[in-house]
Amino acid sequence: AGDCGALLGRGLALLRQAQARLDCERFHLDDRTHSPALDAGPADPHTITARPVDWFAAEREAVGVLVSACADAGLVASARALAGCAADFYEHGGFYDDWRRTARTALAACRRIGDRPGEATMLRGLGSSLVEIGDADAALSTLRDARDLALAVGDTEGAAMTGKDIAFVLGLTGRLDEAEAEARSAVLDLDRVGRHATRSLALTTLGFVRRQRGDTA
């Protein structure tokens, strides 16, 4: 058990080190309050800091195995921290099936123990992966469930970030009135919770929707 704990702590620490050097959209799915004996000591710090995408590509299968192992062992907080941290890499590298699989694994683990905040977060991650896979109906349904649950558990930040993704899906599917309303709400909500980088993405969606409606100015 001690060896497993050390392996888990090291794996999550390395993944977080690599994520910190990643330049891409951040989904903020990793629960940073969960830190299981994070003794990192990376074997190759140069690769992690200088080439985080290469490092993750080499370790991608191991990360997926670790998420499943944690879920099976009942280490739910670790499963969802790993899955959440890896989501940024999955999106960046186009590993959408891996993203969907790990999100579903962590989501099921959260549901087994009644971790509702974790469930809301993993639903958001799953919905985002479904957007990239192209399953718009499932993505929209999942994201709406994620926002409802986030609001129910008092996660206003998670609900605001989910609203941005809902607006994006609605825009992609041509539901422009709904998309504009959602995007405007997301811009305000994200400003309120201080997620300014994510707010800029919501503004981009709003601009896209307005252009689709002919309001190019």
Side-chain angles (χ1 to χ4, degrees):
D3 289 343
C4 290
L7 177 62
L8 168 60
R10 181 175 172 79
L12 183 54
L14 294 177
L15 188 54
R16 284 175 174 169
Q17 283 188 18
Q19 184 196 36
R21 298 286 181 167
L22 191 64
D23 185 17
C24 70
E25 179 180 354
R26 298 299 175 92
F27 288 91
H28 305 288
L29 295 166
D30 176 17
D31 179 8
R32 291 304 180 105
T33 66
H34 177 65
S35 301
L38 298 183
D39 180 15
D44 186 355
H46 176 73
T47 299
I48 289 178
T49 58
R51 301 197 306 277
V53 175
D54 291 344
W55 176 84
F56 182 79
E59 301 294 338
R60 179 169 58 92
E61 291 187 13
V63 171
V65 169
L66 198 53
V67 171
S68 295
C70 287
D72 291 343
L75 303 172
V76 177
S78 294
R80 73 180 180 97
L82 286 160
C85 193
D88 295 354
F89 284 98
Y90 290 142
E91 193 277 338
H92 184 277
F95 302 118
Y96 304 133
D97 287 332
D98 288 16
W99 186 2
R100 176 176 54 182
R101 183 166 50 253
T102 55
R104 281 177 169 167
T105 298
L107 172 62
C110 289
R111 283 174 167 165
R112 280 197 296 272
I113 67 166
D115 176 6
R116 298 181 77 219
E119 181 182 349
T121 301
M122 290 298 101
L123 275 170
R124 177 160 61 90
L126 176 58
S128 297
S129 74
L130 292 170
V131 174
E132 299 294 351
I133 287 169
D135 192 344
D137 290 341
L140 192 57
S141 175
T142 302
L143 289 168
R144 283 176 166 159
D145 287 346
R147 182 168 62 183
D148 289 345
L149 186 52
L151 290 171
V153 300
D155 181 7
T156 54
E157 183 176 294
M161 289 190 285
T162 309
K164 181 266 294 181
D165 292 327
I166 290 172
F168 182 67
V169 179
L170 289 168
L172 286 179
T173 55
R175 298 161 67 171
L176 300 182
D177 289 344
E178 292 177 82
E180 182 173 348
E182 287 285 0
R184 290 188 181 279
S185 294
V187 168
L188 295 174
D189 292 342
L190 289 163
D191 188 49
R192 254 192 301 270
V193 300
R195 286 293 181 193
H196 301 301
T198 309
R199 176 178 177 272
S200 72
L201 295 172
L203 283 167
T204 300
T205 294
L206 180 58
F208 168 78
V209 170
R210 295 300 297 268
R211 185 185 68 184
Q212 292 297 100
R213 302 186 69 177
D215 187 0
T216 55

